[in-house]
Amino acid sequence: MDKRIINANRIVVKVGTSSLIYPSGAVNLKTFDELAYTLSALNNQGKQLVLVSSGAIGVGQNKMHLKRRPTEIGAQQALAAIGQSELMTLFTQRFDHYLTDIAQVLLTHDIFDYPKSNQFVMNTFNCLLRDNVIPIVNENDTVATDELDHKTTFGDNDQLSAIVASHVDADLLIVLSDVDGFYDQNPNQVADAKLISTVNQVDETEFGVAGGTGSRFGTGGMQTKLLAAKRMLDEDRVMVLANGSDPRIIFKILAGNDVGTIFQKESVAHE
């Protein structure tokens, strides 16, 4: 089988809550370490990387020994504040081990809506990437709610990762999740569902196949991943959806191996 052609220097990697936290609610230290190792190795090769990480509320939920995610917005924001600190502590420990500098970037949707704030945040991204620092991005859940006057929420971190990829002019978005890729049918319901290796367009057919609402610690599902893929395709960018249980799969993706699902226009694939 022919290898995929992936030419990517500036890469956005999105990791979901389900990859960072076990179903029991405990933090998956193995994923944190393998993610830090992989991104550090690529950083040493000269790749420019942005990590979009979910998990703040989930980590906060675990920290506070809560079995259920609270429904009150204020309580969720409080957990996000607790969890974001824990999340960055874990990332700092692991990236320090691999001698790689990281930075925290918390965003709300309206930052991109206003030209001046958008320029400021892009200056930050460009300076960090120029200095080989990996920005770790998350939504600022402590202030981003639908109840505020401004359009603050991204809706989910799949959307956030695609928006960030667009604004930083990334060549590739890699979405690491708890699924192996995009299937022709729901693999949780159909035993012989087949993994689709390549998707050239996202339309009603793909959205009709997508389903599910994610884990109890996360908010994403296949619909949100398809929305992210559609944005990337509309901008002639490339996205790969793959299983994040072992983040070292990123090496295979960049090597052109047939893993996960690649969302790529045919014109891009044959450039």
Side-chain angles (χ1 to χ4, degrees):
M1 181 178 291
D2 292 339
K3 287 206 167 192
R4 295 169 176 168
I5 299 175
I6 297 181
N7 297 313
N9 183 60
R10 183 169 286 193
I11 304 162
V12 175
V13 175
K14 186 264 179 177
V15 61
T17 302
S18 59
S19 299
L20 297 175
I21 299 177
Y22 290 113
S24 65
V27 173
N28 188 337
L29 296 175
K30 175 176 174 289
T31 298
F32 275 93
D33 186 73
E34 289 173 347
L35 188 61
Y37 164 76
T38 302
L39 298 189
S40 296
L42 293 173
N43 190 55
N44 288 344
Q45 294 172 22
K47 302 289 187 185
Q48 294 185 326
L49 299 142
V50 178
L51 175 62
V52 177
S53 173
S54 299
I57 293 178
V59 171
Q61 188 175 327
N62 178 63
K63 176 77 171 178
M64 301 306 290
H65 308 291
L66 298 177
K67 296 298 182 184
R68 295 182 180 178
R69 181 176 174 140
T71 57
E72 181 190 352
I73 291 177
Q76 291 184 24
Q77 290 175 301
L79 285 180
I82 294 167
Q84 189 62 40
S85 175
E86 280 290 298
L87 200 62
M88 288 307 298
T89 296
L90 289 165
F91 277 128
T92 298
Q93 290 172 343
R94 298 325 304 151
F95 276 99
D96 276 353
H97 181 72
Y98 296 109
L99 307 177
T100 300
D101 294 322
I102 61 173
Q104 177 178 255
V105 180
L106 296 178
L107 300 173
T108 54
H109 200 297
D110 52 353
I111 286 174
F112 293 118
D113 292 336
Y114 294 96
K116 184 169 286 188
S117 59
N118 179 66
Q119 186 58 56
F120 287 154
V121 77
M122 291 314 304
N123 289 344
T124 299
F125 273 118
N126 288 328
C127 287
L128 291 171
L129 294 173
R130 179 196 65 198
D131 293 338
N132 298 317
V133 178
I134 298 177
I136 298 183
V137 180
N138 201 350
E139 183 166 4
N140 191 351
D141 290 320
T142 60
V143 300
T145 77
D146 291 327
E147 294 184 346
L148 297 181
D149 292 334
H150 296 293
K151 182 181 178 183
T152 57
T153 61
F154 295 96
D156 58 84
N157 276 1
D158 293 323
Q159 295 301 293
L160 173 58
S161 66
I163 291 170
V164 169
S166 174
H167 279 77
V168 302
D169 195 23
D171 307 304
L172 173 67
L173 168 61
I174 298 174
V175 176
L176 300 179
S177 185
D178 55 357
V179 294
D180 292 334
F182 182 66
Y183 287 80
D184 62 349
Q185 302 177 79
N186 189 333
N188 295 322
Q189 300 173 357
V190 181
D192 60 349
K194 294 180 175 58
L195 180 68
I196 301 174
S197 175
T198 303
V199 175
N200 299 130
Q201 65 180 17
V202 174
D203 55 24
E204 291 81 3
T205 301
E206 285 73 28
F207 282 113
V209 173
T213 57
S215 71
R216 71 186 177 100
F217 293 99
T219 58
M222 189 55 67
Q223 292 273 354
T224 64
K225 291 165 180 58
L226 286 180
L227 286 170
K230 186 176 188 307
R231 182 185 184 106
M232 299 300 288
L233 286 170
D234 287 345
E235 298 181 0
D236 290 334
R237 303 182 196 277
V238 179
M239 174 177 140
V240 174
L241 172 62
N243 196 306
S245 59
D246 185 346
R248 291 174 297 183
I249 196 173
I250 294 172
F251 292 131
K252 295 180 180 179
I253 292 170
L254 295 180
N257 293 355
D258 187 19
V259 294
T261 300
I262 187 168
F263 295 85
Q264 182 180 52
K265 283 189 175 179
E266 288 188 81
S267 58
V268 176
H270 295 94
E271 282 182 353

